[in-house]
């Protein structure tokens, strides 16, 4: 008689959440870490039925009923074992096999081993963030990004210290464990030589969890000069980046009744939003948001909002997400697109305007249908007959990927109205093969693993001793004293000569540090006296930056000046138009919204914005100095100039 393999049942239970299985049938209430309800298996007035999401187990203290999701379904719906498994498999989208083999048994054992070793690694990394002698640089970075210890704990953040085999020495105590470390992607085996070394070194560690909270992989943010800046675990038997969403488990732990998920770019965006109470953000893992990602998201919510930069790259990424999202747009689901101001990401923006204002921007996101038709219409004169024909030819194949339902019918009706073409003709056009994104996507920085640095010859295949003395020079802790305030700010805000993207509906907020400093000084001129690090004035073609330097100098000369006296001086010195420009800045609704944020600190905002301006100016000066040295020719440089050249190159790489 055939039977369902235990490995399949284990996999099925891994994919399901017992809280959701039971909550669909018996309303549960949060009770600390667990959930409770009146027991469905006996009469009671006081809840004694408890469901543990951590153990994926239920238990009634009144009647003793207990079990997993399969057992609950068997008892509650009076189903047999096979019927209960098949019912749950349909929910999970899995096909039930009916035989077991030795291979299944081995597969299940290996999976359990991988989960165990990954969990131990996560605990190890968290301990290093608290105790390792090199932890200060990691802690300083996290504090510089405004993260609290509580939020770092909630996301299980850790630290992989410098050195080639720290984790290997700690967890690889026997051959079986070393094999699991390699299989899990935590340790690399050098081909042909059998030498082993840690994949993650001198990085802040972000554990990636499945929907049951088990660690399945890691992302690591570099603290030295290694590339890439972010490194993910490779594909393993328990980790597929095309099917996982970072932060989903934490979002669901925070709110079991999630209504919306915000899809952002990276780990730090997810965590920064959570720091401000917005615990519904998730991120893909170095890949575009695909159909499997959306299937996972829509298991828990009916609304997904994509968050992208408003530049060309962000718009191209949004188009890719749009195409991938269409097959998932079943009736009742909603997708919107939020385009951030240039030079901003969720991490920086939420700290500048607060969670309430950021949420308001999400509410005003562009609906999928609006973005789709706007994207297709780019570069097309839809007022001409030829343009409408072209528009229909491009849009119809995209709409054809929508699943059958009312939403699909409405979209085709909308397209017919926009083009004046009949539904029959539009359905004929669905056979056309077109692409919304004209050029192939550029690979993201952490999408393709970079070549691993050459392993030092003295490290053998077996576990060695303490090799901290052999740490590569680029991990030198002599730079640990440098406070890493917004280290990737310059890379995000660098201006380019790329053409402006076609207009899209996006946030009306436009924040840049120069304008923000100007507004703050106009409203709080006495803050100048409290500033410690005002950037030195530099020659620049940026008119707003020149105006800011003029304003700072004026206030320094007249420390008791007011907004009215500044306006009076400005009108006489620079003319009525420039005076009106200053008045308009302060009248801008933006600052009114920012000031309404609870605990808003203008002095801190000013200090941070000036620091960013200083970083940008310093980078520009470094680039000029580097260009001069390059122009002289490396062979013509003296020792001091060569050393300076190397230092400038290092700084340039660190800022990209």
């Amino acid at each position: 008689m055939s039977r369902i393999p235990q490995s399949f049942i284990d996999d099925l239970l891994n994919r399901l959440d017992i809280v959701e299985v039971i909550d669909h049938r018996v309303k549960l209430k949060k009770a600390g870490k667990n959930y409770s309800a009146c027991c469905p298996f006996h009469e009671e007035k006081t809840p004694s039925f408890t469901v543990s999401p951590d153990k994926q187990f239920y238990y009634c203290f009144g009647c003793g009923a207990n079990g997993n999701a399969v057992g609950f379904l068997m008892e509650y719906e009076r189903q047999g074992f096979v019927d209960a498994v098949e019912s749950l498999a349909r929910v999970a989208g899995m096909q039930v096999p009916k035989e077991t083999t030795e291979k299944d048994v081995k597969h299940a054992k290996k999976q359990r081993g991988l989960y165990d070793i990954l969990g131990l690694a996560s605990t190890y990394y968290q301990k290093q963030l608290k105790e390792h002698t090199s932890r200060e640089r990691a802690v300083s970075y996290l504090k510089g990004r405004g993260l609290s210890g509580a939020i770092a704990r909630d996301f299980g953040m850790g630290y992989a210290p410098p050195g080639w085999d720290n984790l290997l020495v700690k967890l690889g105590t026997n051959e079986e464990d070393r094999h699991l470390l390699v299989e899990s992607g935590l340790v690399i085996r050098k081909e042909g030589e059998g030498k082993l070394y840690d994949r993650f070194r001198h990085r802040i560690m972000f554990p990636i969890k499945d929907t049951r909270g088990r660690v399945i992989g890691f992302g690591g943010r570099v603290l030295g000069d290694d590339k890439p800046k972010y490194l993910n675990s490779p594909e393993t038997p328990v980790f597929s980046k095309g099917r996982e969403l970072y932060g989903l488990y934490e979002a669901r732990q925070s709110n079991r009744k999630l209504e919306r998920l915000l899809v952002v770019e990276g780990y730090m965006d997810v965590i920064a939003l959570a720091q401000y109470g917005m615990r519904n953000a998730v991120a893909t893992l170095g890949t575009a948001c695909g159909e499997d990602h959306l299937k996972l998201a829509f298991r828990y919510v009916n609304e997904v909002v994509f968050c992208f930069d408003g530049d060309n790259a962000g718009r191209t990424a949004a188009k890719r997400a749009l195409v991938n999202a269409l097959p998932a747009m079943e009736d009742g689901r909603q997708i919107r697109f939020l385009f951030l101001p240039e030079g901003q990401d969720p991490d920086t923006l939420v700290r500048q305007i607060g969670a309430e204002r950021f949420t308001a921007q999400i509410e005003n996101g562009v609906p999928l249908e609006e973005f789709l038709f706007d994207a297709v219409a780019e570069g097309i004169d839809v007022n001409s007959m030829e343009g409408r024909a072209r528009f229909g030819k491009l849009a119809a194949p995209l709409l054809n990927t929508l699943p059958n339902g009312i939403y699909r019918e409405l979209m085709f009706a909308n397209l017919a109205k926009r083009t004046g073409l009949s539904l029959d003709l539009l359905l004929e056009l669905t056979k056309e093969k077109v692409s919304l994104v004209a050029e192939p996507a550029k690979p993201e920085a952490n999408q393709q693993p970079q070549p691993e640095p050459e392993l030092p010859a003295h490290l053998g295949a077996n576990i060695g001793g303490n090799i901290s003395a052999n740490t590569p020079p680029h991990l030198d802790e002599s730079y640990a004293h440098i406070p890493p305030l917004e280290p990737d700010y310059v890379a995000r805000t660098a201006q380019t000569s790329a053409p402006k993207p076609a207009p899209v509906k996006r946030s009306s907020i436009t924040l840049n540090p120069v304008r923000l400093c100007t507004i703050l000084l106009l409203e709080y001129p006495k803050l100048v006296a409290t500033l410690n690090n005002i950037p030195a004035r530099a020659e620049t073609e940026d008119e707003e930056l020149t105006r800011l330097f003029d304003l700072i100098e004026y206030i320094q000369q007249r420390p008791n000046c007011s907004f009215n006296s500044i306006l009076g001086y400005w009108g006489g010195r620079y003319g009525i138009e420039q005076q009106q420009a200053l008045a308009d800045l302060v009248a801008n609704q933006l600052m009114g919204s920012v000031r309404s944020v609870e605990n808003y600190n203008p002095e801190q905002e000013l200090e941070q914005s000036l620091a960013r301006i200083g970083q940008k100016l310093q980078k520009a000066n470094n680039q000029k100095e580097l260009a001069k040295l390059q122009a002289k020719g490396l062979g013509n440089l003296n020792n001091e100039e060569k050393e300076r050249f190397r230092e400038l190159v290092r700084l340039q790489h660190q800022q990209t």
Side-chain angles (χ1 to χ4, degrees), residues 510-525 547-548 551 563 582 584-588 590-592 595 600 606:
T510 303
L511 291 172
N512 68 61
V514 174
R515 194 169 304 164
L516 189 56
C517 284
T518 305
I519 296 171
L520 287 168
L521 289 177
L522 288 171
E523 293 216 4
Y524 309 102
R547 180 178 64 187
L548 174 60
L551 179 61
F563 173 62
L582 285 186
D584 290 343
L585 277 178
V586 176
N588 192 306
L590 167 63
M591 287 309 296
R595 286 196 305 272
Y600 176 68
L606 183 60

Side-chain angles (χ1 to χ4, degrees), residues 475-585:
L475 301 181
D476 189 346
E477 291 298 320
S478 62
Y479 300 107
H481 66 281
I482 303 175
L485 173 66
E486 298 291 329
D488 51 0
Y489 173 82
V490 177
R492 292 197 300 269
T493 57
Q495 300 295 316
T496 69
S497 58
K500 294 287 184 182
V504 296
K505 181 179 179 181
R506 65 183 187 187
S507 164
S508 61
I509 297 176
T510 303
L511 291 172
N512 68 61
V514 174
R515 194 169 304 164
L516 189 56
C517 284
T518 305
I519 296 171
L520 287 168
L521 289 177
L522 288 171
E523 293 216 4
Y524 309 102
K526 294 187 184 303
L527 287 180
V528 167
T530 69
L531 298 176
N532 297 318
N533 297 302
I534 299 177
R537 182 163 192 144
E539 293 297 325
T540 175
E541 296 180 359
D542 186 337
E543 294 181 356
E544 288 191 338
L545 184 55
T546 299
R547 180 178 64 187
L548 174 60
F549 282 127
D550 290 340
L551 179 61
I552 291 173
E553 290 178 2
Y554 174 80
I555 297 174
Q556 286 175 328
Q557 294 169 4
R558 299 167 180 81
N560 294 320
C561 65
S562 65
F563 173 62
N564 287 331
S565 63
I566 294 173
L567 281 188
Y569 167 82
W570 224 259
R573 178 71 173 81
Y574 300 105
I576 298 301
E577 289 185 2
Q578 292 297 320
Q579 181 191 62
Q580 187 60 46
L582 285 186
D584 290 343
L585 277 178

